[in-house]
Amino acid sequence: MSRAEAGTPEAPAVRRPRPLWTSALFRSELTTTFRRWRTLALLGVLAAVPVLIGIAVKIETSDGGGIGQGGGGGGEGEAPAFFSQITNNGIFLVFAALAATLPVFLPMAIGVIAGDSIAGEAGSGTLRYLLVAPAGRTRLLLAKFTAVLAFCLLATLVVAVTGLATGALLFPLGDITLISGTTVPFGDGLVRALGVAAVVALSLVGIATVGVFISTLTNSGIAAMATTVGLVITTQILDTIPQLHAIHPYLFPHYWLSFADLLRDPVYWDDLVKNLGLQGLYAAVFGSAAWARFTAKDITA
């Protein structure tokens, strides 16, 4: 005999809580992010940087002179870090390209994607429809943030892989002489290059989190992108002012170039650990702020 037949009321169905993370939501956000023409254009620009650097170095050294030196042996100039080693080993184009894109191109690209993550949806009127689906604000914000982090990784890999391919085509490859003077096999150099790319990608976590937070403050994608990119520029300017040395260790770009310490034997870990810890701190603080703002935001306004 059933409960209904016995006159006993049935227990209410227990509603299972939806998981915080679902692969379908992540795939949807990832697909949406990487199918936008803006994203593809940014990746194209980043891929062009190592190619242009490689061609420029090849042209400048085609007459046998070094970088920053004329063919007649006149005016000497100091080349940026890694650039003088490109002609000896093409893998150094990876490090040179990352060093060239990290201060400007990579953070600006991240700022555009992160700034548009929430504000772009709000401005176009699609954010309220996303929240109508059984996603929930926390899960949607997490998916957006993860998509931005995926772009950080892909953008860094695009620069590194394009640099390696261009370096292999234009320059010789072989054993690598590290900054400390130690020579390691090419395979070891590839492992170090992969580690450098990973550190560079993790170095962008801070600005990515700040960009997502800024994106929750406005319904204008353009305003969020401009503010994030402007913050990148302003912070880097502050990091170059000697009188502000007291705040330099707390600025997210301060330890960005610490990836060069992976090219030493032994590896210098101090600045690398400080860099990763600082990025984690920014992620915790501004990630929490983004969650607090987004979960309380009036989407219908």
Side-chain angles (χ1 to χ4, degrees):
M1 181 180 296
S2 65
R3 289 195 174 195
E5 294 174 343
T8 305
E10 295 185 2
V14 178
R15 186 178 182 180
R16 295 181 179 180
R18 291 189 298 266
L20 184 62
W21 182 253
T22 59
S23 59
L25 182 60
F26 169 71
R27 290 197 303 269
S28 175
E29 288 301 327
L30 204 60
T31 302
T32 301
T33 299
F34 288 102
R35 289 182 63 180
R36 289 174 176 158
W37 67 266
R38 182 191 299 116
T39 304
L40 298 177
L42 290 172
L43 292 176
V45 171
L46 291 172
V49 173
V51 177
L52 295 176
I53 293 176
I55 293 174
V57 172
K58 187 68 173 180
I59 293 175
E60 187 171 356
T61 59
S62 60
D63 56 0
I67 299 177
Q69 295 180 345
E76 297 182 358
E78 293 185 1
F82 307 122
F83 279 66
S84 60
Q85 299 294 327
I86 295 177
T87 54
N88 299 326
N89 197 324
I91 197 173
F92 275 92
L93 184 56
V94 175
F95 310 132
L98 289 173
T101 55
L102 184 53
V104 180
F105 296 103
L106 276 172
M108 284 189 175
I110 301 304
V112 170
I113 299 300
D116 190 56
S117 58
I118 300 295
E121 300 279 11
S124 62
T126 57
L127 184 58
R128 68 183 66 182
Y129 298 108
L130 287 175
L131 293 177
V132 169
R137 298 194 180 199
T138 300
R139 289 198 298 164
L140 180 60
L141 180 64
L142 182 60
K144 292 284 187 183
F145 180 60
T146 305
V148 174
L149 293 184
F151 178 82
C152 292
L153 179 60
L154 181 59
T156 304
L157 289 177
V158 164
V159 175
V161 171
T162 307
L164 181 61
T166 305
L169 288 174
L170 299 180
F171 307 101
L173 297 176
D175 294 345
I176 301 172
T177 302
L178 302 177
I179 296 175
S180 56
T182 307
T183 300
V184 298
F186 181 72
D188 189 0
L190 283 178
V191 172
R192 290 176 183 260
L194 182 61
V196 165
V199 169
V200 171
L202 291 173
S203 298
L204 299 169
V205 170
I207 183 58
T209 312
V210 172
V212 172
F213 168 66
I214 293 175
S215 188
T216 64
L217 300 178
T218 176
N219 291 335
S220 172
I222 295 178
M225 289 186 286
T227 302
T228 306
V229 173
L231 181 63
V232 171
I233 298 173
T234 302
T235 306
Q236 297 215 59
I237 293 175
L238 294 177
D239 197 40
T240 62
I241 301 177
Q243 292 79 3
L244 300 178
H245 64 89
I247 68 171
H248 288 172
Y250 305 101
L251 301 177
F252 56 80
H254 184 66
Y255 297 106
W256 273 355
L257 296 181
S258 63
F259 71 82
D261 290 339
L262 286 175
L263 301 178
R264 302 181 187 274
D265 189 22
V267 175
Y268 292 177
W269 292 105
D270 289 350
D271 284 350
L272 286 168
V273 172
K274 290 178 181 177
N275 178 34
L276 298 181
L278 185 62
Q279 304 307 321
L281 178 62
Y282 270 84
V285 173
F286 286 94
S288 300
W291 175 81
R293 169 61 181 170
F294 187 60
T295 53
K297 185 175 182 179
D298 183 8
I299 304 299
T300 60

